[in-house]
Amino acid sequence: GAVVSQHPSRVICKSGTSVKIECRSLDFQATTMFWYRQFPKKSLMLMATSNEGSKATYEQGVEKDKFLINHASLTLSTLTVTSAHPEDSSFYICSARLAGVDTQYFGPGTRLTVL
Amino acid sequence: KNQVEQSPQSLIILEGKNCTLQCNYTVSPFSNLRWYKQDTGRGPVSLTIMTFSENTKSNGRYTATLDADTKQSSLHITASQLSDSASYICVVGSDNFNKFYFGSGTKLNVKP
């Protein structure tokens, strides 16, 4: 149980385009989802926390207008990287917190490459 | 300041040997501590979770210990296999809901 999926697993896009990444909790309802990015050989860095039906809370230094997060349902959150640049190339991972449980389950990650 | 520190940063061991990874934390209030395994290019996968009252938790060849008094945890891997090569991340959850503190991970390389 507690499976989280991400789509796509890999995406390559041109500089200036926007990319949407989906995060789904497959077998549970997630009141909270988290978005992380991870650079090579580095640990995960929390970008934002999103609660279903409300605006996401962004970590310091993360641009809200660049990384748009939508958490419209209890099983789906999306991260849109707008006007992507090569420096946005990274591994993006989402996680979901099961309602009433103080832990999180991670998705498999999305590798974004911006050319 | 809430922090999680892991050691060593990296470790190389021979297949079949045992190893122990360390995690020290200063997170307060404390809720739980999880060890995750992250293969390269994959999302973290949970190995064990322990709450304040638990001293040890096993998952196959993985055994985690927790000393809540000294705020230390360890992950012991027995009879290592090549597939154990990965990063191991210690994550401490705080009673301040939705707050999780990540260690920087230990990169384990198991060689034949």
mmCIF file of all heavy atoms in Angstrom, chain A residues 32 34 36 38 41-44 46 49 51 59 91 93 97 100-109 111, chain B residues 31-32 34 36 38 41-46 49 89 91 93-100 102-105:
data_model
loop_
_atom_site.group_PDB
_atom_site.id
_atom_site.type_symbol
_atom_site.label_atom_id
_atom_site.label_comp_id
_atom_site.label_asym_id
_atom_site.label_seq_id
_atom_site.Cartn_x
_atom_site.Cartn_y
_atom_site.Cartn_z
ATOM 1 N N THR A 32 -1.624 16.071 2.101
ATOM 2 C CA THR A 32 -0.459 16.918 1.874
ATOM 3 C C THR A 32 0.505 16.240 0.919
ATOM 4 O O THR A 32 0.761 15.041 1.047
ATOM 5 C CB THR A 32 0.287 17.201 3.193
ATOM 6 O OG1 THR A 32 -0.618 17.737 4.147
ATOM 7 C CG2 THR A 32 1.426 18.185 2.970
ATOM 8 N N PHE A 34 4.394 16.914 -1.049
ATOM 9 C CA PHE A 34 5.624 17.689 -0.993
ATOM 10 C C PHE A 34 6.342 17.574 -2.334
ATOM 11 O O PHE A 34 6.331 16.519 -2.959
ATOM 12 C CB PHE A 34 6.548 17.154 0.112
ATOM 13 C CG PHE A 34 5.918 17.089 1.477
ATOM 14 C CD1 PHE A 34 5.179 15.976 1.853
ATOM 15 C CD2 PHE A 34 6.081 18.119 2.374
ATOM 16 C CE1 PHE A 34 4.604 15.901 3.117
ATOM 17 C CE2 PHE A 34 5.516 18.051 3.639
ATOM 18 C CZ PHE A 34 4.782 16.943 4.007
ATOM 19 N N TYR A 36 10.155 18.061 -4.098
ATOM 20 C CA TYR A 36 11.589 18.197 -3.835
ATOM 21 C C TYR A 36 12.323 18.262 -5.173
ATOM 22 O O TYR A 36 11.855 17.761 -6.186
ATOM 23 C CB TYR A 36 12.125 16.976 -3.080
ATOM 24 C CG TYR A 36 11.530 16.747 -1.713
ATOM 25 C CD1 TYR A 36 10.324 16.064 -1.559
ATOM 26 C CD2 TYR A 36 12.188 17.180 -0.567
ATOM 27 C CE1 TYR A 36 9.784 15.837 -0.307
ATOM 28 C CE2 TYR A 36 11.658 16.943 0.696
ATOM 29 C CZ TYR A 36 10.459 16.283 0.811
ATOM 30 O OH TYR A 36 9.932 16.055 2.061
ATOM 31 N N GLN A 38 16.424 17.455 -6.548
ATOM 32 C CA GLN A 38 17.672 16.837 -6.123
ATOM 33 C C GLN A 38 18.706 16.969 -7.221
ATOM 34 O O GLN A 38 18.488 16.497 -8.346
ATOM 35 C CB GLN A 38 17.448 15.358 -5.775
ATOM 36 C CG GLN A 38 18.673 14.673 -5.189
ATOM 37 C CD GLN A 38 18.380 13.234 -4.786
ATOM 38 O OE1 GLN A 38 17.589 12.548 -5.421
ATOM 39 N NE2 GLN A 38 19.025 12.771 -3.722
ATOM 40 N N LYS A 41 24.297 13.812 -6.713
ATOM 41 C CA LYS A 41 25.086 13.524 -5.521
ATOM 42 C C LYS A 41 24.726 14.415 -4.334
ATOM 43 O O LYS A 41 25.499 14.528 -3.385
ATOM 44 C CB LYS A 41 26.584 13.631 -5.815
ATOM 45 C CG LYS A 41 27.046 12.657 -6.884
ATOM 46 C CD LYS A 41 28.534 12.737 -7.113
ATOM 47 C CE LYS A 41 28.953 11.768 -8.204
ATOM 48 N NZ LYS A 41 30.415 11.807 -8.458
ATOM 49 N N LYS A 42 23.570 15.028 -4.380
ATOM 50 C CA LYS A 42 23.129 15.870 -3.282
ATOM 51 C C LYS A 42 21.854 15.291 -2.667
ATOM 52 O O LYS A 42 21.180 14.465 -3.276
ATOM 53 C CB LYS A 42 22.838 17.296 -3.765
ATOM 54 C CG LYS A 42 24.039 18.006 -4.351
ATOM 55 C CD LYS A 42 25.051 18.330 -3.295
ATOM 56 C CE LYS A 42 26.198 19.134 -3.878
ATOM 57 N NZ LYS A 42 27.243 19.432 -2.850
ATOM 58 N N SER A 43 21.531 15.759 -1.473
ATOM 59 C CA SER A 43 20.316 15.281 -0.835
ATOM 60 C C SER A 43 19.098 16.021 -1.382
ATOM 61 O O SER A 43 19.230 16.989 -2.130
ATOM 62 C CB SER A 43 20.412 15.487 0.680
ATOM 63 O OG SER A 43 19.333 14.852 1.332
ATOM 64 N N LEU A 44 17.933 15.537 -1.028
ATOM 65 C CA LEU A 44 16.699 16.171 -1.481
ATOM 66 C C LEU A 44 16.552 17.552 -0.842
ATOM 67 O O LEU A 44 16.846 17.737 0.331
ATOM 68 C CB LEU A 44 15.486 15.322 -1.080
ATOM 69 C CG LEU A 44 15.240 14.042 -1.854
ATOM 70 C CD1 LEU A 44 16.156 12.940 -1.400
ATOM 71 C CD2 LEU A 44 13.788 13.614 -1.724
ATOM 72 N N LEU A 46 13.634 20.391 -0.171
ATOM 73 C CA LEU A 46 12.211 20.667 -0.218
ATOM 74 C C LEU A 46 11.958 21.981 -0.947
ATOM 75 O O LEU A 46 12.586 23.004 -0.634
ATOM 76 C CB LEU A 46 11.652 20.742 1.205
ATOM 77 C CG LEU A 46 10.158 21.026 1.329
ATOM 78 C CD1 LEU A 46 9.334 19.880 0.731
ATOM 79 C CD2 LEU A 46 9.762 21.236 2.792
ATOM 80 N N THR A 49 5.354 22.731 -0.035
ATOM 81 C CA THR A 49 4.372 21.832 0.587
ATOM 82 C C THR A 49 2.996 22.255 0.109
ATOM 83 O O THR A 49 2.660 23.454 0.165
ATOM 84 C CB THR A 49 4.430 21.948 2.112
ATOM 85 O OG1 THR A 49 5.754 21.640 2.544
ATOM 86 C CG2 THR A 49 3.445 20.993 2.768
ATOM 87 N N ASN A 51 -1.187 21.560 0.272
ATOM 88 C CA ASN A 51 -2.338 20.939 0.911
ATOM 89 C C ASN A 51 -3.516 21.003 -0.041
ATOM 90 O O ASN A 51 -3.718 22.023 -0.720
ATOM 91 C CB ASN A 51 -2.683 21.650 2.216
ATOM 92 C CG ASN A 51 -1.623 21.426 3.263
ATOM 93 O OD1 ASN A 51 -1.396 20.312 3.706
ATOM 94 N ND2 ASN A 51 -0.946 22.489 3.661
ATOM 95 N N GLU A 59 9.276 27.056 0.040
ATOM 96 C CA GLU A 59 10.469 27.264 0.855
ATOM 97 C C GLU A 59 11.191 28.522 0.384
ATOM 98 O O GLU A 59 11.024 28.983 -0.759
ATOM 99 C CB GLU A 59 11.400 26.053 0.755
ATOM 100 C CG GLU A 59 10.802 24.794 1.338
ATOM 101 C CD GLU A 59 10.481 24.910 2.816
ATOM 102 O OE1 GLU A 59 11.420 25.145 3.628
ATOM 103 O OE2 GLU A 59 9.296 24.753 3.174
ATOM 104 N N PHE A 91 16.429 16.503 -10.845
ATOM 105 C CA PHE A 91 15.570 15.363 -10.533
ATOM 106 C C PHE A 91 14.509 15.875 -9.573
ATOM 107 O O PHE A 91 14.832 16.370 -8.500
ATOM 108 C CB PHE A 91 16.431 14.261 -9.905
ATOM 109 C CG PHE A 91 15.774 12.924 -9.784
ATOM 110 C CD1 PHE A 91 15.183 12.321 -10.882
ATOM 111 C CD2 PHE A 91 15.762 12.234 -8.577
ATOM 112 C CE1 PHE A 91 14.590 11.074 -10.792
ATOM 113 C CE2 PHE A 91 15.171 10.987 -8.482
ATOM 114 C CZ PHE A 91 14.586 10.403 -9.579
ATOM 115 N N ILE A 93 11.235 15.150 -7.253
ATOM 116 C CA ILE A 93 10.579 14.045 -6.549
ATOM 117 C C ILE A 93 9.420 14.591 -5.725
ATOM 118 O O ILE A 93 9.557 15.634 -5.067
ATOM 119 C CB ILE A 93 11.559 13.330 -5.594
ATOM 120 C CG1 ILE A 93 12.791 12.841 -6.355
ATOM 121 C CG2 ILE A 93 10.881 12.166 -4.894
ATOM 122 C CD1 ILE A 93 13.842 12.240 -5.441
ATOM 123 N N ARG A 97 1.738 12.626 2.021
ATOM 124 C CA ARG A 97 1.518 12.253 3.414
ATOM 125 C C ARG A 97 0.114 11.706 3.562
ATOM 126 O O ARG A 97 -0.845 12.343 3.160
ATOM 127 C CB ARG A 97 1.723 13.453 4.350
ATOM 128 C CG ARG A 97 1.670 13.087 5.824
ATOM 129 C CD ARG A 97 1.997 14.279 6.692
ATOM 130 N NE ARG A 97 0.952 15.290 6.647
ATOM 131 C CZ ARG A 97 -0.186 15.231 7.322
ATOM 132 N NH1 ARG A 97 -0.428 14.201 8.098
ATOM 133 N NH2 ARG A 97 -1.068 16.207 7.227
ATOM 134 N N GLY A 100 -3.538 11.759 8.653
ATOM 135 C CA GLY A 100 -3.503 11.226 10.003
ATOM 136 C C GLY A 100 -2.250 10.457 10.343
ATOM 137 O O GLY A 100 -2.083 10.003 11.468
ATOM 138 N N VAL A 101 -1.340 10.319 9.385
ATOM 139 C CA VAL A 101 -0.097 9.580 9.621
ATOM 140 C C VAL A 101 1.072 10.517 9.428
ATOM 141 O O VAL A 101 1.169 11.186 8.399
ATOM 142 C CB VAL A 101 0.028 8.382 8.655
ATOM 143 C CG1 VAL A 101 1.358 7.661 8.874
ATOM 144 C CG2 VAL A 101 -1.138 7.436 8.840
ATOM 145 N N ASP A 102 1.948 10.558 10.386
ATOM 146 C CA ASP A 102 3.059 11.500 10.352
ATOM 147 C C ASP A 102 4.247 10.907 9.622
ATOM 148 O O ASP A 102 5.316 10.744 10.193
ATOM 149 C CB ASP A 102 3.436 11.902 11.777
ATOM 150 C CG ASP A 102 4.388 13.077 11.791
ATOM 151 O OD1 ASP A 102 4.531 13.737 10.755
ATOM 152 O OD2 ASP A 102 5.010 13.306 12.847
ATOM 153 N N THR A 103 4.081 10.588 8.375
ATOM 154 C CA THR A 103 5.178 10.099 7.548
ATOM 155 C C THR A 103 4.833 10.387 6.099
ATOM 156 O O THR A 103 3.727 10.816 5.787
ATOM 157 C CB THR A 103 5.409 8.597 7.771
ATOM 158 O OG1 THR A 103 6.634 8.219 7.144
ATOM 159 C CG2 THR A 103 4.286 7.759 7.171
ATOM 160 N N GLN A 104 5.786 10.192 5.203
ATOM 161 C CA GLN A 104 5.539 10.487 3.800
ATOM 162 C C GLN A 104 6.070 9.368 2.911
ATOM 163 O O GLN A 104 7.044 8.701 3.252
ATOM 164 C CB GLN A 104 6.161 11.826 3.413
ATOM 165 C CG GLN A 104 7.623 11.977 3.765
ATOM 166 C CD GLN A 104 8.148 13.354 3.404
ATOM 167 O OE1 GLN A 104 7.823 13.910 2.359
ATOM 168 N NE2 GLN A 104 8.979 13.921 4.262
ATOM 169 N N TYR A 105 5.423 9.232 1.775
ATOM 170 C CA TYR A 105 5.785 8.208 0.803
ATOM 171 C C TYR A 105 6.203 8.904 -0.483
ATOM 172 O O TYR A 105 5.524 9.792 -0.970
ATOM 173 C CB TYR A 105 4.596 7.276 0.570
ATOM 174 C CG TYR A 105 4.147 6.605 1.844
ATOM 175 C CD1 TYR A 105 3.174 7.181 2.655
ATOM 176 C CD2 TYR A 105 4.731 5.407 2.268
ATOM 177 C CE1 TYR A 105 2.795 6.587 3.841
ATOM 178 C CE2 TYR A 105 4.351 4.811 3.449
ATOM 179 C CZ TYR A 105 3.380 5.406 4.238
ATOM 180 O OH TYR A 105 3.017 4.824 5.414
ATOM 181 N N PHE A 106 7.337 8.444 -1.031
ATOM 182 C CA PHE A 106 7.935 9.133 -2.159
ATOM 183 C C PHE A 106 7.544 8.519 -3.493
ATOM 184 O O PHE A 106 7.373 7.308 -3.617
ATOM 185 C CB PHE A 106 9.462 9.114 -2.049
ATOM 186 C CG PHE A 106 9.982 10.028 -0.978
ATOM 187 C CD1 PHE A 106 10.122 9.570 0.323
ATOM 188 C CD2 PHE A 106 10.322 11.337 -1.271
ATOM 189 C CE1 PHE A 106 10.590 10.412 1.319
ATOM 190 C CE2 PHE A 106 10.790 12.182 -0.285
ATOM 191 C CZ PHE A 106 10.923 11.715 1.019
ATOM 192 N N GLY A 107 7.458 9.386 -4.493
ATOM 193 C CA GLY A 107 7.314 8.924 -5.857
ATOM 194 C C GLY A 107 8.669 8.529 -6.421
ATOM 195 O O GLY A 107 9.704 8.751 -5.777
ATOM 196 N N PRO A 108 8.692 7.975 -7.622
ATOM 197 C CA PRO A 108 9.937 7.494 -8.224
ATOM 198 C C PRO A 108 10.793 8.603 -8.816
ATOM 199 O O PRO A 108 11.929 8.357 -9.211
ATOM 200 C CB PRO A 108 9.454 6.539 -9.316
ATOM 201 C CG PRO A 108 8.113 7.069 -9.683
ATOM 202 C CD PRO A 108 7.519 7.623 -8.430
ATOM 203 N N GLY A 109 10.257 9.808 -8.917
ATOM 204 C CA GLY A 109 11.039 10.918 -9.434
ATOM 205 C C GLY A 109 10.834 11.175 -10.918
ATOM 206 O O GLY A 109 10.422 10.291 -11.675
ATOM 207 N N ARG A 111 13.033 13.001 -14.113
ATOM 208 C CA ARG A 111 14.297 13.607 -14.556
ATOM 209 C C ARG A 111 13.971 14.654 -15.611
ATOM 210 O O ARG A 111 13.476 14.308 -16.678
ATOM 211 C CB ARG A 111 15.215 12.536 -15.135
ATOM 212 C CG ARG A 111 16.459 13.084 -15.821
ATOM 213 C CD ARG A 111 17.480 13.571 -14.846
ATOM 214 N NE ARG A 111 17.918 12.556 -13.910
ATOM 215 C CZ ARG A 111 18.598 12.812 -12.805
ATOM 216 N NH1 ARG A 111 18.909 14.053 -12.486
ATOM 217 N NH2 ARG A 111 18.950 11.832 -11.998
ATOM 218 N N SER B 31 8.996 13.232 16.440
ATOM 219 C CA SER B 31 7.853 12.367 16.205
ATOM 220 C C SER B 31 8.293 10.970 15.791
ATOM 221 O O SER B 31 7.873 9.983 16.391
ATOM 222 C CB SER B 31 6.948 12.957 15.122
ATOM 223 O OG SER B 31 5.898 12.059 14.824
ATOM 224 N N ASN B 32 9.095 10.895 14.739
ATOM 225 C CA ASN B 32 9.551 9.587 14.279
ATOM 226 C C ASN B 32 10.827 9.741 13.466
ATOM 227 O O ASN B 32 11.220 10.856 13.097
ATOM 228 C CB ASN B 32 8.486 8.868 13.447
ATOM 229 C CG ASN B 32 8.061 9.683 12.239
ATOM 230 O OD1 ASN B 32 8.887 10.046 11.411
ATOM 231 N ND2 ASN B 32 6.790 9.977 12.133
ATOM 232 N N ARG B 34 12.845 7.852 10.171
ATOM 233 C CA ARG B 34 12.785 6.879 9.075
ATOM 234 C C ARG B 34 14.139 6.765 8.393
ATOM 235 O O ARG B 34 14.838 7.767 8.239
ATOM 236 C CB ARG B 34 11.767 7.323 8.024
ATOM 237 C CG ARG B 34 10.388 6.723 8.185
ATOM 238 C CD ARG B 34 9.570 6.990 6.954
ATOM 239 N NE ARG B 34 8.181 6.609 7.124
ATOM 240 C CZ ARG B 34 7.670 5.448 6.784
ATOM 241 N NH1 ARG B 34 8.455 4.534 6.266
ATOM 242 N NH2 ARG B 34 6.399 5.192 6.964
ATOM 243 N N TYR B 36 15.566 5.668 4.720
ATOM 244 C CA TYR B 36 15.191 5.413 3.337
ATOM 245 C C TYR B 36 16.408 4.929 2.562
ATOM 246 O O TYR B 36 17.534 5.323 2.832
ATOM 247 C CB TYR B 36 14.694 6.692 2.646
ATOM 248 C CG TYR B 36 13.346 7.190 3.092
ATOM 249 C CD1 TYR B 36 13.238 8.093 4.161
ATOM 250 C CD2 TYR B 36 12.185 6.802 2.444
ATOM 251 C CE1 TYR B 36 11.995 8.583 4.552
ATOM 252 C CE2 TYR B 36 10.941 7.283 2.834
ATOM 253 C CZ TYR B 36 10.865 8.168 3.880
ATOM 254 O OH TYR B 36 9.638 8.649 4.270
ATOM 255 N N GLN B 38 17.782 5.059 -1.328
ATOM 256 C CA GLN B 38 17.543 5.683 -2.623
ATOM 257 C C GLN B 38 18.548 5.166 -3.634
ATOM 258 O O GLN B 38 19.741 5.466 -3.551
ATOM 259 C CB GLN B 38 17.617 7.208 -2.538
ATOM 260 C CG GLN B 38 17.250 7.876 -3.857
ATOM 261 C CD GLN B 38 17.308 9.380 -3.818
ATOM 262 O OE1 GLN B 38 17.959 9.967 -2.975
ATOM 263 N NE2 GLN B 38 16.597 10.029 -4.740
ATOM 264 N N GLY B 41 18.846 7.687 -9.406
ATOM 265 C CA GLY B 41 17.798 7.968 -10.377
ATOM 266 C C GLY B 41 16.418 7.478 -9.973
ATOM 267 O O GLY B 41 15.510 7.427 -10.807
ATOM 268 N N ARG B 42 16.248 7.141 -8.699
ATOM 269 C CA ARG B 42 14.950 6.679 -8.206
ATOM 270 C C ARG B 42 14.543 7.484 -6.982
ATOM 271 O O ARG B 42 15.366 8.152 -6.349
ATOM 272 C CB ARG B 42 15.039 5.203 -7.812
ATOM 273 C CG ARG B 42 15.414 4.270 -8.950
ATOM 274 C CD ARG B 42 14.314 4.147 -9.972
ATOM 275 N NE ARG B 42 14.639 3.250 -11.056
ATOM 276 C CZ ARG B 42 14.277 1.965 -11.083
ATOM 277 N NH1 ARG B 42 13.603 1.461 -10.062
ATOM 278 N NH2 ARG B 42 14.593 1.224 -12.099
ATOM 279 N N GLY B 43 13.270 7.394 -6.644
ATOM 280 C CA GLY B 43 12.812 8.025 -5.429
ATOM 281 C C GLY B 43 13.174 7.189 -4.209
ATOM 282 O O GLY B 43 13.407 5.987 -4.321
ATOM 283 N N PRO B 44 13.243 7.807 -3.037
ATOM 284 C CA PRO B 44 13.568 7.057 -1.810
ATOM 285 C C PRO B 44 12.483 6.028 -1.478
ATOM 286 O O PRO B 44 11.305 6.266 -1.683
ATOM 287 C CB PRO B 44 13.624 8.148 -0.739
ATOM 288 C CG PRO B 44 13.809 9.424 -1.476
ATOM 289 C CD PRO B 44 13.095 9.231 -2.777
ATOM 290 N N VAL B 45 12.939 4.912 -0.946
ATOM 291 C CA VAL B 45 12.029 3.853 -0.513
ATOM 292 C C VAL B 45 12.239 3.626 0.974
ATOM 293 O O VAL B 45 13.375 3.504 1.435
ATOM 294 C CB VAL B 45 12.299 2.547 -1.298
ATOM 295 C CG1 VAL B 45 11.458 1.406 -0.748
ATOM 296 C CG2 VAL B 45 12.024 2.758 -2.781
ATOM 297 N N SER B 46 11.150 3.572 1.713
ATOM 298 C CA SER B 46 11.246 3.433 3.161
ATOM 299 C C SER B 46 11.760 2.052 3.559
ATOM 300 O O SER B 46 11.324 1.033 3.039
ATOM 301 C CB SER B 46 9.866 3.663 3.780
ATOM 302 O OG SER B 46 9.924 3.494 5.172
ATOM 303 N N ILE B 49 10.753 2.597 10.121
ATOM 304 C CA ILE B 49 10.285 3.788 10.818
ATOM 305 C C ILE B 49 10.208 3.465 12.303
ATOM 306 O O ILE B 49 9.783 2.377 12.685
ATOM 307 C CB ILE B 49 8.914 4.279 10.322
ATOM 308 C CG1 ILE B 49 8.473 5.521 11.109
ATOM 309 C CG2 ILE B 49 7.864 3.171 10.395
ATOM 310 C CD1 ILE B 49 7.257 6.211 10.551
ATOM 311 N N ILE B 89 19.235 7.490 3.491
ATOM 312 C CA ILE B 89 18.860 8.799 4.013
ATOM 313 C C ILE B 89 18.092 8.639 5.315
ATOM 314 O O ILE B 89 17.164 7.826 5.403
ATOM 315 C CB ILE B 89 17.983 9.568 3.001
ATOM 316 C CG1 ILE B 89 18.706 9.663 1.651
ATOM 317 C CG2 ILE B 89 17.653 10.953 3.526
ATOM 318 C CD1 ILE B 89 17.837 10.197 0.533
ATOM 319 N N VAL B 91 15.618 10.457 7.933
ATOM 320 C CA VAL B 91 14.648 11.558 7.947
ATOM 321 C C VAL B 91 13.937 11.571 9.290
ATOM 322 O O VAL B 91 13.377 10.563 9.716
ATOM 323 C CB VAL B 91 13.608 11.403 6.818
ATOM 324 C CG1 VAL B 91 12.626 12.574 6.841
ATOM 325 C CG2 VAL B 91 14.297 11.320 5.465
ATOM 326 N N GLY B 93 10.934 13.145 11.542
ATOM 327 C CA GLY B 93 9.668 13.865 11.521
ATOM 328 C C GLY B 93 9.451 14.569 12.850
ATOM 329 O O GLY B 93 9.778 14.042 13.912
ATOM 330 N N SER B 94 8.915 15.771 12.749
ATOM 331 C CA SER B 94 8.675 16.551 13.957
ATOM 332 C C SER B 94 7.189 16.560 14.266
ATOM 333 O O SER B 94 6.356 16.426 13.383
ATOM 334 C CB SER B 94 9.176 17.978 13.768
ATOM 335 O OG SER B 94 8.860 18.769 14.889
ATOM 336 N N ASP B 95 6.885 16.730 15.534
ATOM 337 C CA ASP B 95 5.490 16.841 15.918
ATOM 338 C C ASP B 95 4.856 18.086 15.326
ATOM 339 O O ASP B 95 3.641 18.210 15.300
ATOM 340 C CB ASP B 95 5.353 16.886 17.448
ATOM 341 C CG ASP B 95 5.401 15.485 18.037
ATOM 342 O OD1 ASP B 95 5.186 14.530 17.272
ATOM 343 O OD2 ASP B 95 5.649 15.362 19.236
ATOM 344 N N ASN B 96 5.702 19.019 14.890
ATOM 345 C CA ASN B 96 5.220 20.173 14.140
ATOM 346 C C ASN B 96 4.829 19.647 12.771
ATOM 347 O O ASN B 96 5.648 19.503 11.889
ATOM 348 C CB ASN B 96 6.339 21.216 14.039
ATOM 349 C CG ASN B 96 5.864 22.473 13.347
ATOM 350 O OD1 ASN B 96 4.729 22.539 12.890
ATOM 351 N ND2 ASN B 96 6.718 23.456 13.266
ATOM 352 N N PHE B 97 3.581 19.336 12.609
ATOM 353 C CA PHE B 97 3.096 18.570 11.469
ATOM 354 C C PHE B 97 3.612 19.083 10.141
ATOM 355 O O PHE B 97 3.735 20.262 9.921
ATOM 356 C CB PHE B 97 1.566 18.607 11.471
ATOM 357 C CG PHE B 97 0.944 17.249 11.466
ATOM 358 C CD1 PHE B 97 1.536 16.202 12.133
ATOM 359 C CD2 PHE B 97 -0.234 17.004 10.803
ATOM 360 C CE1 PHE B 97 0.972 14.941 12.137
ATOM 361 C CE2 PHE B 97 -0.817 15.753 10.807
ATOM 362 C CZ PHE B 97 -0.219 14.724 11.466
ATOM 363 N N ASN B 98 3.915 18.164 9.253
ATOM 364 C CA ASN B 98 4.438 18.464 7.926
ATOM 365 C C ASN B 98 5.872 18.933 7.941
ATOM 366 O O ASN B 98 6.362 19.458 6.950
ATOM 367 C CB ASN B 98 3.580 19.502 7.188
ATOM 368 C CG ASN B 98 2.289 18.904 6.682
ATOM 369 O OD1 ASN B 98 2.152 17.689 6.637
ATOM 370 N ND2 ASN B 98 1.369 19.746 6.307
ATOM 371 N N LYS B 99 6.538 18.788 9.052
ATOM 372 C CA LYS B 99 7.950 19.151 9.095
ATOM 373 C C LYS B 99 8.794 17.881 9.147
ATOM 374 O O LYS B 99 8.670 17.070 10.061
ATOM 375 C CB LYS B 99 8.266 20.014 10.324
ATOM 376 C CG LYS B 99 8.013 21.497 10.089
ATOM 377 C CD LYS B 99 8.925 22.051 9.026
ATOM 378 C CE LYS B 99 8.701 23.548 8.840
ATOM 379 N NZ LYS B 99 9.519 24.090 7.734
ATOM 380 N N PHE B 100 9.635 17.733 8.128
ATOM 381 C CA PHE B 100 10.532 16.589 8.063
ATOM 382 C C PHE B 100 11.934 17.123 7.809
ATOM 383 O O PHE B 100 12.129 18.003 6.982
ATOM 384 C CB PHE B 100 10.129 15.653 6.916
ATOM 385 C CG PHE B 100 8.748 15.073 7.073
ATOM 386 C CD1 PHE B 100 7.654 15.732 6.551
ATOM 387 C CD2 PHE B 100 8.564 13.879 7.743
ATOM 388 C CE1 PHE B 100 6.387 15.205 6.694
ATOM 389 C CE2 PHE B 100 7.293 13.349 7.889
ATOM 390 C CZ PHE B 100 6.207 14.020 7.369
ATOM 391 N N PHE B 102 15.817 16.233 6.767
ATOM 392 C CA PHE B 102 16.583 15.232 6.024
ATOM 393 C C PHE B 102 18.065 15.291 6.356
ATOM 394 O O PHE B 102 18.646 16.379 6.446
ATOM 395 C CB PHE B 102 16.443 15.476 4.514
ATOM 396 C CG PHE B 102 15.123 15.056 3.949
ATOM 397 C CD1 PHE B 102 13.974 15.771 4.215
ATOM 398 C CD2 PHE B 102 15.039 13.931 3.133
ATOM 399 C CE1 PHE B 102 12.749 15.377 3.691
ATOM 400 C CE2 PHE B 102 13.816 13.537 2.601
ATOM 401 C CZ PHE B 102 12.681 14.265 2.882
ATOM 402 N N GLY B 103 18.664 14.127 6.498
ATOM 403 C CA GLY B 103 20.109 14.056 6.514
ATOM 404 C C GLY B 103 20.613 14.136 5.086
ATOM 405 O O GLY B 103 19.848 13.999 4.133
ATOM 406 N N SER B 104 21.899 14.342 4.930
ATOM 407 C CA SER B 104 22.484 14.475 3.598
ATOM 408 C C SER B 104 22.771 13.115 2.974
ATOM 409 O O SER B 104 23.157 13.038 1.813
ATOM 410 C CB SER B 104 23.758 15.309 3.637
ATOM 411 O OG SER B 104 24.651 14.753 4.577
ATOM 412 N N GLY B 105 22.574 12.062 3.737
ATOM 413 C CA GLY B 105 22.708 10.727 3.183
ATOM 414 C C GLY B 105 24.096 10.135 3.296
ATOM 415 O O GLY B 105 25.091 10.845 3.419
#
